[in-house]
Amino acid sequence: MNRHRLMTTLILLQTTLAGRLHTLRESDERGSETTEKVLWISAVIAAVLIVYPILTGKLSDWFNALTFGGM
């Protein structure tokens, strides 16, 4: 299931970046500021893609370790 979620996220990332690049190519604003913003967005998305599975796994393990007395 995690593999499917990762692939979906990567496809969404690729589609989003392709859309942004298309918008950049269509617009008259072609400066380094716009390129810098796209690179920062890509870096943040990459960081989320790395951290999300780690946190999800740790939280899942923590919730599975919880025991409720008397049940």
Side-chain angles (χ1 to χ4, degrees):
M1 175 97 173
N2 286 337
R3 212 180 264 186
H4 295 294
R5 184 177 290 168
L6 177 62
M7 288 304 295
T8 303
T9 305
L10 289 174
I11 291 170
L12 179 63
L13 172 65
Q14 187 267 337
T15 306
T16 303
L17 289 177
R20 289 184 186 268
L21 286 174
H22 178 70
T23 303
L24 286 174
R25 289 180 183 147
E26 296 281 322
S27 72
D28 291 334
E29 181 184 333
R30 295 183 183 207
S32 62
E33 179 182 355
T34 305
T35 304
E36 183 180 349
K37 287 178 185 177
V38 170
L39 291 175
W40 274 110
I41 290 168
S42 300
V44 169
I45 291 172
V48 168
L49 287 173
I50 292 169
V51 171
Y52 178 76
I54 295 169
L55 289 179
T56 305
K58 290 200 179 278
L59 285 175
S60 178
D61 291 343
W62 183 74
F63 279 118
N64 288 334
L66 290 177
T67 58
F68 298 99
M71 292 186 145

